[in-house]
Amino acid sequence: MKIDFNKIEETIVPQFKGGEGRYIMRHYTDNNVKIMFGKLEPGCSIGLHRHEQNSEVMYILSGVATYIYEGEEEIVMPGQVHYNPMGKQHTLINRGTEDLTFFAVVPEHLPKKIRE
């Protein structure tokens, strides 16, 4: 299945998960996964949150990403991936001078009984 983010309407979410500024995204969602192309402008962030029922994989396309993952700061550059396992918490901050763009996948983890 092909997903063309150029054909998906842009969504602007102010203070996403309690963060600063706005999170600009295009996303595809179904019962199994959320797939997002995201952008944070300089000075913007996604607030600190815990992934209780899912995990998240974020591939950095451009800019410099600062994550606070389980209380520790991580710098992630273009071509690198940040992984947040289920049950862990993180925040994403753009402290750079250019837009931070990334591709994110959030698989929906369902209890075994529901999957069968």
Side-chain angles (χ1 to χ4, degrees):
M1 167 180 179
K2 179 171 123 177
I3 298 168
D4 185 348
F5 285 111
N6 294 315
K7 294 182 179 177
I8 296 175
E9 186 175 340
E10 190 172 84
T11 301
I12 298 174
V13 184
Q15 290 84 42
F16 186 63
K17 298 199 181 279
E20 299 293 325
R22 58 192 198 152
Y23 172 36
I24 303 164
M25 71 169 152
R26 296 170 193 265
H27 65 94
Y28 169 84
T29 304
D30 67 16
N31 291 332
N32 299 309
V33 70
K34 291 181 219 170
I35 303 171
M36 298 163 278
F37 172 78
K39 177 170 66 172
L40 289 175
E41 298 163 320
C44 294
S45 66
I46 294 173
L48 182 66
H49 62 284
R50 184 175 303 279
H51 283 258
E52 297 288 351
Q53 300 297 318
N54 54 34
S55 58
E56 184 169 27
V57 176
M58 300 177 86
Y59 179 82
I60 304 303
L61 299 166
S62 68
V64 177
T66 301
Y67 288 91
I68 308 298
Y69 169 72
E70 289 292 296
E72 298 291 326
E73 185 171 302
E74 297 179 343
I75 303 298
V76 183
M77 306 296 288
Q80 296 179 330
V81 170
H82 168 75
Y83 172 56
N84 192 82
M86 183 167 49
K88 304 295 183 179
Q89 67 178 0
H90 65 162
T91 183
L92 171 58
I93 307 161
N94 183 358
R95 293 183 178 152
T97 58
E98 64 180 89
D99 288 346
L100 170 62
T101 61
F102 53 91
F103 177 77
V105 177
V106 179
E108 295 299 328
H109 298 287
L110 301 174
K112 186 176 180 183
K113 283 187 173 186
I114 294 174
R115 288 190 307 229
E116 295 175 340

